[in-house]
Amino acid sequence: SCSLRKDEKLGLPIIRMDRYTGRLFFGCPVQSKVELPEISDRYVIGVDRGISKYFTAVVIDTVTGQPIVSLDSTGVVEEAHLKVARQDEQIRGLHQAIELAVQKRDYKRAHVLHVELDRVRRARTRTKTEMAMAGARLLTGLSRKFGNAVIIMEDLSWSGNWASREPFGMLLHETEWLAEKEGLLCYTVNAAQTSQACSACQPGSYEPVVHS
């Protein structure tokens, strides 16, 4: 049994089966009214996929049309970004080593290399996920700093499955999820021409990009 507050009510029951053990799990979600924060009507945050960095975020004052803050991904986010690059290089090297071992018919070594390749791939997926989560926390924190500013990101969620998805697609996924959880707004726009516009953006010369 459980007690509910006056503003809470039980949702529809959920039944789930564990795919590995076959055990059934029953749950009943609790719905409650959430006080959503007021969204800023002055500032917006534009997020662009970086080239050497994971991403670049720019805070725009919609009254003056000026970019007032620009920052690149740093700290834990960028450490993970560099780690992914090293893991990608390691994976390419393992592919080459496996191909060479097969050519020499050294199948025992090829098997050992395949095991190592699977390990590095799993590690890369974990690193990408951690990087995306850290980046999402940075962006939502920036939003709150500027009065819960709307976050606008390139729509680059199209690439591959979870294991091979581009890091920016994972960042978009995590940011949308975290923003919704915290009552913030995160929108996507067509990625066409956004990189050129962001790199050309300078204080005093900013012109809003119109996306169709």
Side-chain angles (χ1 to χ4, degrees):
S1 63
C2 63
S3 60
L4 300 176
R5 298 196 306 266
K6 290 182 179 180
D7 63 336
E8 293 179 334
K9 63 179 181 178
L10 290 177
L12 295 174
I14 298 173
I15 303 175
R16 181 175 64 85
M17 176 181 288
D18 188 295
R19 61 182 296 186
Y20 299 106
T21 65
R23 295 177 60 188
L24 289 175
F25 294 88
F26 298 87
C28 202
V30 176
Q31 299 175 347
S32 61
K33 293 182 180 179
V34 179
E35 294 293 332
L36 297 179
E38 185 176 348
I39 301 299
S40 172
D41 60 358
R42 177 159 186 170
Y43 302 108
V44 296
I45 300 172
V47 185
D48 186 62
R49 180 175 62 177
I51 299 176
S52 60
K53 299 287 187 178
Y54 188 17
F55 63 84
T56 297
V58 179
V59 180
I60 303 295
D61 185 330
T62 61
V63 174
T64 64
Q66 299 299 317
I68 57 174
V69 173
S70 177
L71 61 86
D72 293 320
S73 52
T74 57
V76 175
V77 180
E78 203 53 36
E79 288 177 8
H81 187 217
L82 295 174
K83 186 176 180 180
V84 168
R86 292 194 298 269
Q87 289 168 330
D88 285 341
E89 184 65 29
Q90 189 176 1
I91 287 172
R92 285 191 291 269
L94 284 167
H95 276 297
Q96 294 173 355
I98 290 170
E99 183 178 350
L100 183 60
V102 170
Q103 289 176 354
K104 294 182 177 180
R105 297 188 178 183
D106 188 350
Y107 301 116
K108 183 176 180 179
R109 174 168 173 75
H111 173 73
V112 172
L113 292 170
H114 267 295
V115 172
E116 176 64 9
L117 178 62
D118 288 340
R119 185 194 68 78
V120 176
R121 280 175 170 169
R122 289 193 298 271
R124 180 182 62 175
T125 299
R126 289 193 299 272
T127 305
K128 283 184 175 182
T129 303
E130 293 167 359
M131 176 174 64
M133 292 174 65
R137 288 192 294 270
L138 190 156
L139 292 174
T140 55
L142 186 64
S143 171
R144 289 193 299 272
K145 183 177 180 180
F146 285 89
N148 304 317
V150 175
I151 302 170
I152 303 175
M153 305 181 69
E154 294 177 288
D155 187 2
L156 294 174
S157 58
W158 37 257
S159 52
N161 57 33
W162 186 259
S164 63
R165 182 179 294 179
E166 288 292 328
F168 195 88
M170 296 176 76
L171 173 66
L172 172 59
H173 172 87
E174 292 293 340
T175 304
E176 288 179 324
W177 175 83
L178 189 57
E180 181 179 2
K181 180 181 177 182
E182 297 185 3
L184 304 173
L185 295 180
C186 179
Y187 295 135
T188 58
V189 295
N190 191 318
Q193 305 303 317
T194 53
S195 294
Q196 293 90 330
C198 279
S199 62
C201 179
Q202 298 292 334
S205 63
Y206 174 73
E207 294 182 5
V209 180
V210 178
H211 300 275
S212 58

